[in-house]
């Protein structure tokens, strides 16, 4: 096939010209664009649609981020309709803020970007001893997350610009003590209540279901009883470990490597010294530095005459607050572990000798060498296994680039089987059953890579059972897979889920009975308050001390008219049933201290600022005509 294409290039070009050009004439370029963008729109911001694919990708990113920090989290919880809808709301928010950034011509400078990156501990950990960023490790870190430095930094710029849109509003919340007192009084107000609960569990025994009702409920709610699409797969992984298994090193190679690297294989020479510092910082005037140097030379003359008094002189004269009390002792150090000026002097001295005056950026030092730990290199036999692993790793790294290209070509050119690539490269074909589009809890290697799984579930892979392209699933790690069996998402058979369906329907009916009973009791107690007997003991509720009561119930209690207490209020808790609260009275609060008032003002300003940010964001939503086109799922 490839030979035919190469030998008939001109013919194919003519055919493509005849087929493609009339299509553009008849339908126009816009028709092709519409076709390419035909994915269903789930939201719209500033005239631009958000597609289902973009929503799915945003949700997957959030799931991946959560699983990266919480590997044991149940993936089913992260795929709930409400959490997925929340991802869409956040995506819309990002687009709204991006529109505001563009409209206001907000630009993030390189200096601001560098400052933000400098605050990231993960990036700071990649700095070399001289303070510069190790770009190779930086690229490797981002590559593991599927990003390039350019893409990552563009994302940081976007985030910083978006923050600027709202930060100007967030800091404008100012309040007087009187305003804060009024607002905080409402927040801290305490009320005495008795709460009667009507819980579904109390009504389960009253629910009697027929098999027909259970089956009808199953048919009406098939979406809740879906088995996810799954695939059985074969896959190959080319990584350094696989290549290392094919690498052989001779005994002579190991001994040569040992001889060439002896200096770095053991412990480096270390020296222990004491010093006396006469401070003269780098920015000091020449006169100050000259004065400090003269004092150091004076002390050196005294020490030459009485070397054993070094510690006493250091305690009295050294201006290094850290070491003076210990007689100037610097402890053991190697050449890289201390100021270069001190290291250069100390490593030239014999044990017990005193240096001349040594200049550094901190001033002038007098150094005395007190001990030496010579470098120690373990014998070859002790290091042999470690050396063999290091040498194999180095050779495998050099070989990886060559084999990676061969791996990519073979899985692509012989797309209906992984065996040719496996045989040529000496790799083992691995298998996995029941693989889904998202990584399973505890998945490792290629099966933990969303990029690899996405390739497996692509149309070409599912329909034609072709190998995927070689996917980079980790640094120096490529994987290719093929689907051997695919089962589309489908409703689970009724007999398999009958017990679950019965329980769900029973719970729904019980919750409905609980709500009806609660609403009836509320009406009866409001009509005849004296009939409300046997209520639980009173508790104290406030907006800040909720006793883990549902927020809707707490809000209903706090909204009850304080001038008409006691009174009853009720709240429908959905699947949790119903609650009726008898609000008895408002409890007095202690007069706040001056510190508390100050804290209340600060907290009120913070809450007010947050409210203004939310209000401003809603204005932006309206301004840029943001709308979500799919219905919000109901609470389960």
């Amino acid at each position: 096939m490839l030979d035919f294409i190469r030998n008939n290039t001109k013919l194919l070009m003519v055919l493509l010209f005849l087929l493609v050009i009339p299509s553009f004439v008849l339908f126009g370029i816009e028709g092709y664009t519409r076709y390419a963008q035909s994915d269903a729109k789930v939201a719209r911001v500033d005239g631009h649609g958000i597609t289902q694919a973009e929503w799915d990708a945003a949700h997957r990113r959030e799931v991946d981020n959560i699983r990266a920090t919480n590997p044991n989290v149940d993936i089913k919880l992260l795929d709930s309709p409400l959490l997925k809808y929340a991802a869409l709301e956040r995506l819309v928010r990002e687009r709204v803020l991006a529109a505001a950034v563009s409209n206001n011509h907000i630009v993030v400078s390189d200096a601001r970007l560098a400052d933000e990156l400098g605050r990231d501990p993960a990036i700071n950990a990649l700095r070399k001893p001289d303070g510069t960023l190790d770009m190779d490790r930086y690229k490797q870190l981002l590559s593991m997350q599927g990003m390039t430095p350019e893409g990552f930094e563009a994302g940081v710029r976007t985030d910083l610009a978006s923050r600027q849109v709202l930060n100007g509003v967030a800091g404008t919340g100012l309040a007087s003590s009187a305003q804060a007192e009024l607002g905080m009084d409402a927040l801290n107000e305490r009320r005495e209540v008795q709460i009667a609960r009507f819980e579904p569990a109390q009504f389960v025994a009253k629910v009697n279901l027929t098999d027909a009702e259970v089956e009808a409920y199953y048919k009406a709610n098939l979406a809740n009883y879906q088995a996810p699409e799954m695939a059985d797969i074969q896959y190959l992984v080319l990584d350094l470990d696989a290549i290392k298994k094919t690498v052989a090193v001779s005994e002579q190679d190991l001994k040569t490597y040992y001889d060439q690297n002896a200096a770095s294989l053991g412990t480096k020479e270390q020296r222990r010294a004491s010093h006396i510092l006469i401070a003269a910082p780098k920015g000091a005037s020449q006169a100050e530095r000259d004065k400090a140097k003269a004092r150091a030379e004076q002390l050196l003359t005294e020490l030459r005459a009485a070397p054993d008094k070094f510690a006493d002189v250091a305690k009295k004269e050294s201006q290094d607050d850290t070491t003076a009390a210990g007689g100037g002792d610097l402890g053991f150090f190697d050449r890289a572990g201390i100021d270069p000026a001190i290291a250069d002097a100390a490593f030239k001295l014999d044990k017990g000798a005193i240096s001349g005056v040594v200049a550094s950026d901190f001033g002038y030092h007098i150094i005395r060498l007190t001990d030496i730990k010579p470098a120690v290199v373990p014998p070859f036999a002790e290091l042999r296994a470690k050396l063999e692993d290091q040498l194999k790793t180095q050779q495998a790294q050099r070989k990886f680039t060559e084999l990676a290209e061969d791996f990519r070509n073979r899985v692509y050119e012989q797309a209906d089987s992984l065996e040719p690539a496996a045989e040529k490269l000496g790799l083992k074909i691995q298998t996995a059953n029941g693989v889904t589009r998202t990584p399973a809890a505890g998945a490792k290697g290629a099966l933990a890579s969303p990029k690899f799984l996405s390739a497996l579930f692509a149309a070409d892979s599912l329909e034609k059972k072709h190998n995927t392209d070689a996917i980079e699933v980790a640094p120096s790690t490529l994987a290719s897979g093929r689907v051997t069996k695919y089962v589309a998402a489908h409703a689970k058979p009724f007999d398999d889920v009958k017990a679950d369906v019965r329980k769900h329907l029973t719970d729904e009916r019980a919750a409905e009975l609980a709500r009806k009973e609660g609403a009836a009791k509320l009406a009866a107690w409001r009509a005849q308050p004296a009939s409300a007997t046997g209520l639980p003991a009173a508790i104290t509720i406030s907006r800040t001390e909720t006793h883990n009561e549902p927020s809707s119930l707490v809000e209903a209690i706090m909204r009850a008219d304080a001038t008409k207490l006691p009174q009853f209020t009720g709240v429908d808790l959905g699947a949790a049933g119903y609650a009726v609260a008898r609000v008895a009275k408002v409890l007095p609060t202690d007069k706040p201290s001056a510190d508390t008032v100050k804290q209340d003002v600060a907290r009120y300003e913070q809450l007010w600022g947050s409210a203004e940010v939310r209000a401003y964001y809603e204005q932006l939503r309206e301004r840029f005509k943001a709308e979500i086109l799919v219905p919000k799922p109901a609470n389960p």
Side-chain angles (χ1 to χ4, degrees):
M1 181 65 183
L2 292 174
D3 289 336
F4 174 81
I5 292 173
R6 281 193 292 269
N7 296 331
N8 297 275
T9 301
K10 291 185 178 180
L11 174 62
L12 287 172
M13 289 177 66
V14 171
L15 288 173
L16 287 171
F17 181 84
L18 292 174
L19 289 170
V20 174
I21 297 303
S23 299
F24 276 107
V25 172
L26 291 172
F27 301 105
I29 295 176
E30 184 181 353
Y32 279 88
T33 304
R34 283 201 304 270
Y35 177 78
Q37 298 177 343
S38 62
D39 199 358
K41 302 295 187 293
V42 294
R44 188 178 293 109
V45 177
D46 199 26
H48 303 287
I50 296 175
T51 66
Q52 178 71 46
E54 290 173 315
W55 179 15
D56 291 340
H59 178 57
R60 281 198 302 272
R61 285 195 300 271
E62 292 191 1
V63 168
D64 292 341
N65 290 337
I66 293 172
R67 292 186 74 248
T69 54
N70 300 278
N72 297 323
V73 69
D74 187 348
I75 193 71
K76 294 179 181 178
L77 297 177
L78 302 180
D79 274 334
S80 72
L82 278 175
L83 282 179
K84 187 171 183 181
Y85 190 84
L88 177 58
E89 290 178 317
R90 285 187 285 273
L91 184 56
V92 168
R93 180 184 176 88
E94 289 176 8
R95 298 293 175 86
V96 168
L97 295 180
V101 167
S102 176
N103 189 264
N104 293 315
H105 307 290
I106 296 174
V107 177
V108 175
S109 67
D110 291 343
R112 179 70 183 91
L113 174 64
D115 180 65
E116 183 69 15
L117 295 178
R119 300 170 187 269
D120 189 326
I123 293 177
N124 280 330
L126 305 179
R127 295 196 180 279
K128 300 176 183 177
D130 63 2
T132 60
L133 187 64
D134 187 329
M135 290 304 298
D136 290 337
R137 293 176 62 201
Y138 177 55
K139 292 176 182 177
Q140 185 181 55
L141 174 67
L142 295 178
S143 174
M144 293 174 67
Q145 303 172 53
M147 293 184 288
T148 63
E150 295 77 14
F152 170 68
E153 290 163 14
V156 176
R157 283 186 193 273
T158 299
D159 182 57
L160 288 172
S162 298
R163 278 191 248 164
Q164 287 186 42
V165 173
L166 300 177
N167 281 352
V169 177
T172 61
L174 299 175
S176 66
S177 296
Q179 288 175 311
E181 182 179 0
L182 186 63
M184 298 307 292
D185 280 350
L187 182 65
N188 296 324
E189 182 179 291
R190 299 158 61 239
R191 295 189 170 193
E192 183 179 283
V193 299
Q194 293 169 282
I195 301 173
R197 286 178 176 76
F198 300 86
E199 297 174 341
Q202 301 166 0
F203 297 86
V204 168
K206 297 182 180 180
V207 178
N208 295 305
L209 300 174
T210 64
D211 288 346
E213 287 178 305
V214 175
E215 188 168 3
Y217 181 83
Y218 162 78
K219 290 178 179 178
N221 294 275
L222 281 177
N224 296 333
Y225 302 100
Q226 293 288 309
E229 60 178 339
M230 291 189 296
D232 294 346
I233 69 166
Q234 296 177 336
Y235 65 105
L236 286 179
V237 176
L238 178 71
D239 59 9
L240 293 182
D241 286 340
I243 298 174
K244 279 169 66 175
K245 292 176 182 177
T246 67
V247 174
V249 293
S250 68
E251 198 71 10
Q252 185 57 49
D253 289 338
L254 290 174
K255 289 180 178 178
T256 301
Y257 184 70
Y258 173 81
D259 294 337
Q260 292 174 345
N261 296 275
S264 63
L265 295 173
T267 59
K268 296 180 181 179
E269 179 182 340
Q270 291 187 317
R271 298 202 164 198
R272 185 173 187 172
S274 297
H275 82 138
I276 296 170
L277 169 65
I278 304 302
K282 190 175 182 179
S285 67
Q286 188 60 47
E288 289 175 319
R289 289 187 66 84
D290 289 344
K291 181 180 177 182
K293 183 177 181 182
R295 179 57 180 157
E297 288 174 342
Q298 181 183 353
L299 291 175
L300 178 60
T301 301
E302 296 175 10
L303 290 169
R304 296 281 193 210
D308 293 338
K309 293 184 178 181
F310 192 96
D312 294 334
V313 174
K315 290 177 182 179
K316 181 179 178 181
E317 300 289 347
S318 180
Q319 294 171 352
D320 180 354
D321 295 336
T322 304
T323 64
D329 184 25
L330 293 167
F332 280 100
F333 52 85
D334 58 32
R335 283 187 175 274
I338 202 165
D339 186 280
I342 296 176
D344 287 343
F347 275 81
K348 292 176 183 177
L349 295 174
D350 294 328
K351 185 174 179 180
I354 296 176
S355 72
V357 174
V358 176
S360 78
D361 290 344
F362 303 99
Y364 295 93
H365 308 259
I366 304 169
I367 301 164
R368 186 186 191 196
L369 188 66
T370 56
D371 204 352
I372 298 174
K373 281 185 180 179
V376 177
V377 180
F380 172 77
E382 185 178 324
L383 293 177
R384 189 191 180 287
K386 179 181 178 181
L387 296 175
E388 183 177 19
D389 183 71
Q390 288 181 352
L391 199 53
K392 282 187 173 183
T393 298
Q394 290 179 10
Q395 294 185 19
Q397 288 172 334
R398 287 194 292 269
K399 199 174 180 182
F400 179 81
T401 302
E402 171 192 340
L403 294 182
E405 188 63 25
D406 197 7
F407 182 84
R408 289 189 181 94
N409 291 338
R410 289 183 180 277
V411 299
Y412 176 76
E413 292 171 359
Q414 296 173 289
D416 57 350
S417 175
L418 293 171
E419 290 183 3
E423 291 175 3
K424 172 66 177 178
L425 301 174
L427 302 176
K428 179 182 178 181
I429 295 179
Q430 303 179 60
T431 61
N433 297 330
V435 175
T436 60
R437 282 184 184 265
T438 55
K444 297 179 181 179
L447 299 181
S449 168
K451 192 190 302 185
F452 177 62
L453 296 179
S454 178
L456 280 170
F457 283 86
D460 187 59
S461 180
L462 293 179
E463 294 169 8
K464 300 179 181 179
K465 300 294 190 293
H466 281 175
N467 301 337
T468 69
D469 289 340
I471 307 295
E472 185 175 21
V473 297
S476 300
T477 306
L478 296 176
S480 175
R482 61 186 303 270
V483 173
T484 57
K485 179 182 178 182
Y486 173 72
V487 178
H490 62 280
K492 298 176 182 177
F494 175 65
D495 288 341
D496 291 353
V497 296
K498 185 175 181 180
D500 288 339
V501 177
R502 181 177 291 277
K503 183 178 185 308
H504 289 163
L505 182 54
T506 298
D507 290 344
E508 279 193 13
R509 295 281 177 86
E512 184 180 351
L513 291 175
R515 293 193 295 271
K516 286 182 178 179
E517 180 68 11
K521 285 294 184 182
L522 174 63
W525 291 345
R526 279 177 170 171
Q528 294 183 334
S531 66
T533 59
L535 292 175
I539 61 173
T540 300
I541 288 286
S542 75
R543 288 185 173 90
T544 57
E545 298 177 12
T546 64
H547 292 275
N548 294 321
E549 296 294 346
S551 59
S552 57
L553 176 59
V554 172
E555 196 58 31
I557 291 169
M558 301 310 297
R559 286 181 178 274
D561 191 342
T563 64
K564 298 178 181 179
L565 301 182
Q567 66 169 282
F568 289 90
T569 185
V571 176
D572 184 338
L573 299 177
Y578 201 88
V580 177
R582 180 180 181 273
V583 186
K585 58 184 176 181
V586 176
L587 300 175
T589 56
D590 297 331
K591 182 176 178 60
S593 65
D595 286 342
T596 300
V597 170
K598 186 177 180 180
Q599 291 171 4
D600 284 349
V601 170
R603 187 178 181 193
Y604 182 80
E605 288 179 349
Q606 183 182 29
L607 293 172
W608 187 259
S610 298
E612 288 191 337
V613 166
R614 288 195 296 272
Y616 180 56
Y617 170 68
E618 290 303 321
Q619 289 180 0
L620 291 176
R621 275 182 61 104
E622 185 176 346
R623 177 181 177 184
F624 295 110
K625 297 180 175 58
E627 56 179 332
I628 293 179
L629 305 176
V630 294
K632 184 174 183 176
N635 281 310

